[in-house]
Amino acid sequence: MTSTHTLTHSYYSAFYAEKGYRFLEQIAQTHSMPRNLVVFSVMHCYEGSLPYLNVLCKLADHVIFIPKQATFCNNGTLLNTIQSIPNCDVVEPGFDKIALRDPVRCLDLIQQYTQEGQAFLILDHGGYFSQGVEAIFEAYDEQCVGIAELTANGIAKYRNRHLIKPLVSVAHLSIKTPADYEASECIVHYTDQILREAFGLKLNNLGFLTIGVIGSGNLGRGICKTLQGKGIHDIYVSDQDPRQLTALPRNGIQVCSTETMLEHCNLIFCCTGNGALHSAHIQSRRENLFIATVTSADDELNLPELVQQGTLQYVGGNKLVTEYQNRHGASIYLIAGGESANTPFKTGMGDPTLYLFEAAHLLAGLHLGSQSHSYAAGIQALSAQDEIFIAEQWLRYFYSYT
């Protein structure tokens, strides 16, 4: 791999970009991709994605970049920079998240960007290909080498699909935990910033805001910890699995059902990635409610259906807040339009934890692409040995670990 690459969109992003690129390049050098391989990569439209994308484009014959909708909407000009990377094509607008829910459109996408008999790999992020996966595997049995999925909510979307090819998950690796906690810290920070900018509110305005957290995985627990660091201690947490809640009361957190939370809270962080709030929760609300998510309003609220069935009516908003009203006239304010609350803002490359999960996603793709693996059909995790390898390389590279 040569050193010519496009790592930044603006001058001020350059501080850590080269370092992240070199680390991912180091991981990539452990395997080689087959010639003439096409990679379909679902990725955030962040400058922080550029080092990873550049490494992919050095490995594959062609990379088809499919921008995550939330960050694409806020960083559309970045697509010109991405388009300038050799071997990289930005997918046509007709192949977005909504379109790919149709298996026929998934097949159209594959057909448009691959030649007959050409092998391809899917690096998914959030289950974009989950509803078309069976059609893809059936139509392209010889060409598709497999799928690597980055997120837990993405894996949940693939869970009940009939998979005749391997799908490698990096969603629940221990090395992803630092990045999850970093993300939760960012989400709290930017929720606070948006509330200040749009409403003149602060998260720790006692008497104005009471906060609930739905989901007590890494992100939910990280949000609780960050809130407590801001002096907020009246926090309600719910989870579908009561086992996840048992450690929280000893940390001064009120555990409850989601219904109880809605009786007490007017700001809720949705941290499940898969239906935190249902139509009945929104429909029965009689007081205004702020909602921040760690994924999207599609995943956490099924927002398109709420609007289509008339449960919510769009009122207005901007890139910081979108307002809907339910049938009782209660306003439902979606922080960052219902996308992860840090999406309206620049994400820098100076947080090395970002490269841990990118390295895992990359390595899973390398295994699948090189076909030097023992993966069976269906969902499986990256191996413990691979995880240890990434952790050691990361510690050595960024922190002089010996």
Side-chain angles (χ1 to χ4, degrees):
M1 288 185 283
T2 66
S3 60
T4 55
H5 42 266
T6 306
L7 298 182
T8 61
H9 179 59
S10 63
Y11 171 77
Y12 293 110
S13 295
F15 185 69
Y16 244 96
E18 183 75 25
K19 201 163 180 65
Y21 170 80
R22 293 299 175 195
F23 167 69
L24 293 171
E25 185 181 48
Q26 187 173 294
I27 298 294
Q29 287 170 346
T30 60
H31 290 72
S32 60
M33 288 286 200
R35 295 184 63 184
N36 208 28
L37 179 77
V38 173
V39 175
F40 293 91
S41 178
V42 180
M43 201 178 293
H44 275 300
C45 195
Y46 282 150
E47 288 191 66
S49 302
L50 288 173
Y52 182 22
L53 188 55
N54 271 268
V55 171
L56 278 182
C57 290
K58 296 288 180 66
L59 288 167
D61 181 73
H62 222 69
V63 173
I64 311 304
F65 176 80
I66 304 166
K68 297 276 284 181
Q69 208 63 24
T71 46
F72 162 70
C73 292
N74 291 305
N75 297 289
T77 58
L78 181 59
L79 292 181
N80 293 329
T81 300
I82 292 170
Q83 193 80 56
S84 73
I85 299 172
N87 303 330
C88 186
D89 269 343
V90 176
V91 76
E92 291 184 0
F95 296 111
D96 59 12
K97 177 181 180 179
I98 303 300
L100 292 177
R101 291 175 180 169
D102 181 355
V104 173
R105 294 298 287 154
C106 288
L107 295 178
D108 290 343
L109 174 65
I110 305 299
Q111 183 178 24
Q112 181 165 330
Y113 289 101
T114 61
Q115 298 173 357
E116 186 175 352
Q118 188 173 27
F120 64 88
L121 163 71
I122 296 173
L123 297 177
D124 206 350
H125 183 159
Y128 270 46
F129 287 87
S130 59
Q131 296 191 42
V133 66
E134 289 148 326
I136 292 170
F137 285 169
E138 182 178 349
Y140 295 98
D141 181 41
E142 296 297 321
Q143 293 172 246
C144 183
V145 299
I147 300 176
E149 168 59 52
L150 187 66
T151 65
N153 68 303
I155 289 297
K157 293 172 185 176
Y158 281 106
R159 189 73 64 189
N160 296 318
R161 300 289 173 177
H162 178 57
L163 304 176
I164 60 173
K165 293 276 187 176
L167 191 155
V168 183
S169 166
V170 300
H172 298 101
L173 302 180
S174 62
I175 59 171
K176 199 167 179 286
T177 302
D180 285 342
Y181 275 93
E182 174 67 22
S184 63
E185 187 177 75
C186 286
I187 288 163
V188 171
H189 171 75
Y190 286 124
T191 298
D192 194 17
Q193 185 170 335
I194 290 169
L195 287 170
R196 290 168 186 255
E197 178 70 23
F199 297 96
L201 284 169
K202 297 191 298 180
L203 278 177
N204 56 1
N205 272 148
L206 187 64
F208 288 87
L209 294 174
T210 304
I211 300 173
V213 178
I214 303 176
S216 56
N218 285 345
L219 286 164
R221 291 195 304 272
I223 282 172
C224 290
K225 183 177 180 181
T226 307
L227 289 170
Q228 289 179 320
K230 288 180 171 287
I232 301 165
H233 299 288
D234 187 18
I235 304 169
Y236 293 76
V237 180
S238 69
D239 196 290
Q240 287 185 336
D241 185 349
R243 294 174 298 177
Q244 298 291 329
L245 299 173
T246 55
L248 298 178
R250 64 183 294 274
N251 294 319
I253 292 170
Q254 175 66 53
V255 297
C256 63
S257 66
T258 299
E259 288 71 24
T260 300
M261 182 185 297
L262 285 163
E263 292 174 8
H264 291 86
C265 300
N266 58 0
L267 168 60
I268 292 178
F269 289 90
C270 296
C271 308
T272 70
N274 190 23
L277 290 172
H278 302 147
S279 176
H281 295 139
I282 301 297
Q283 191 167 296
S284 61
R285 183 78 184 182
R286 293 183 177 273
E287 296 180 356
N288 296 346
L289 179 66
F290 298 95
I291 296 175
T293 83
V294 302
T295 54
S296 73
D298 289 359
D299 293 330
E300 298 286 18
L301 312 178
N302 199 358
L303 182 63
E305 185 178 308
L306 292 178
V307 173
Q308 186 177 15
Q309 67 191 16
T311 301
L312 286 180
Q313 183 175 357
Y314 175 75
V315 175
N318 51 41
K319 79 171 188 175
L320 298 181
V321 179
T322 305
E323 181 183 358
Y324 293 85
Q325 282 189 350
N326 68 8
R327 292 165 179 169
H328 297 295
S331 289
I332 309 297
Y333 298 107
L334 302 183
I335 303 298
E339 301 297 333
S340 181
N342 54 343
T343 56
F345 299 94
K346 189 184 197 67
T347 59
M349 299 146 188
D351 168 33
T353 63
L354 168 74
Y355 303 112
L356 278 167
F357 65 80
E358 287 186 342
H361 204 207
L362 174 64
L363 189 57
L366 285 166
H367 285 324
L368 290 166
S370 63
Q371 298 186 324
S372 60
H373 62 78
S374 57
Y375 296 129
I379 298 171
Q380 54 244 277
L382 199 68
S383 72
Q385 290 83 0
D386 285 331
E387 198 175 357
I388 290 168
F389 165 73
I390 292 168
E392 286 183 342
Q393 296 300 314
W394 184 81
L395 290 167
R396 286 173 183 163
Y397 189 82
F398 288 103
Y399 298 104
S400 304
Y401 173 77
T402 58

